Amino acid sequence: MRLKRLAFAWLVAMAGASQAAEEFIYTVQVGDHPWNIAQRYLKDTSFALRLTRMNRIANDRTVVPGTELRIPAQWLKLQATQVRVLAAHGDAIVMLADGSSVSPSTN
């Protein structure tokens, strides 16, 4: 379920944005550490050490749940793609990476 939320959040965050300059913010869950985060979400486990350094994690085995980690977009297994929403129920707004929002067409 967390992976689906990550994928959805990633697609929304990347809508209309340049992938090269983007970062993804991951919120650490209980039991997470850079190595299992890298295994689940990053292209290669070798990024765990870079993730540790980039986020200035002193002890990679005791990252406090709730900590927000910055992850460069190019490290992620999942990459941005164009999507088309075929249906929505209720009010819907698409939030773009630049903070702006658009209302989808009701056609």
Side-chain angles (χ1 to χ4, degrees):
M1 187 63 163
R2 233 181 352 188
L3 183 56
K4 287 182 183 178
R5 285 192 301 246
L6 174 67
F8 179 74
W10 176 246
L11 290 173
V12 171
M14 292 303 296
S18 168
Q19 180 179 347
E22 291 298 314
E23 288 185 338
F24 180 78
I25 304 299
Y26 176 78
T27 303
V28 174
Q29 307 296 311
V30 174
D32 277 347
H33 52 78
W35 302 98
N36 66 14
I37 293 169
Q39 183 178 31
R40 283 190 310 251
Y41 303 120
L42 305 183
K43 290 179 180 177
D44 191 276
T45 56
S46 65
F47 286 105
L49 187 54
R50 293 186 220 177
L51 186 65
T52 301
R53 288 180 183 155
M54 178 180 185
N55 289 279
R56 297 187 176 119
I57 298 170
N59 183 342
D60 66 354
R61 294 293 176 179
T62 58
V63 183
V64 178
T67 301
E68 292 184 340
L69 301 179
R70 295 175 25 242
I71 303 173
Q74 64 267 25
W75 295 3
L76 294 170
K77 287 180 187 177
L78 299 175
Q79 297 299 312
T81 187
Q82 291 185 346
V83 297
R84 183 185 309 178
V85 177
L86 300 176
H89 180 71
D91 295 332
I93 296 174
V94 176
M95 299 299 295
L96 303 178
D98 66 3
S100 63
S101 63
V102 296
S103 295
S105 172
T106 56
N107 298 2

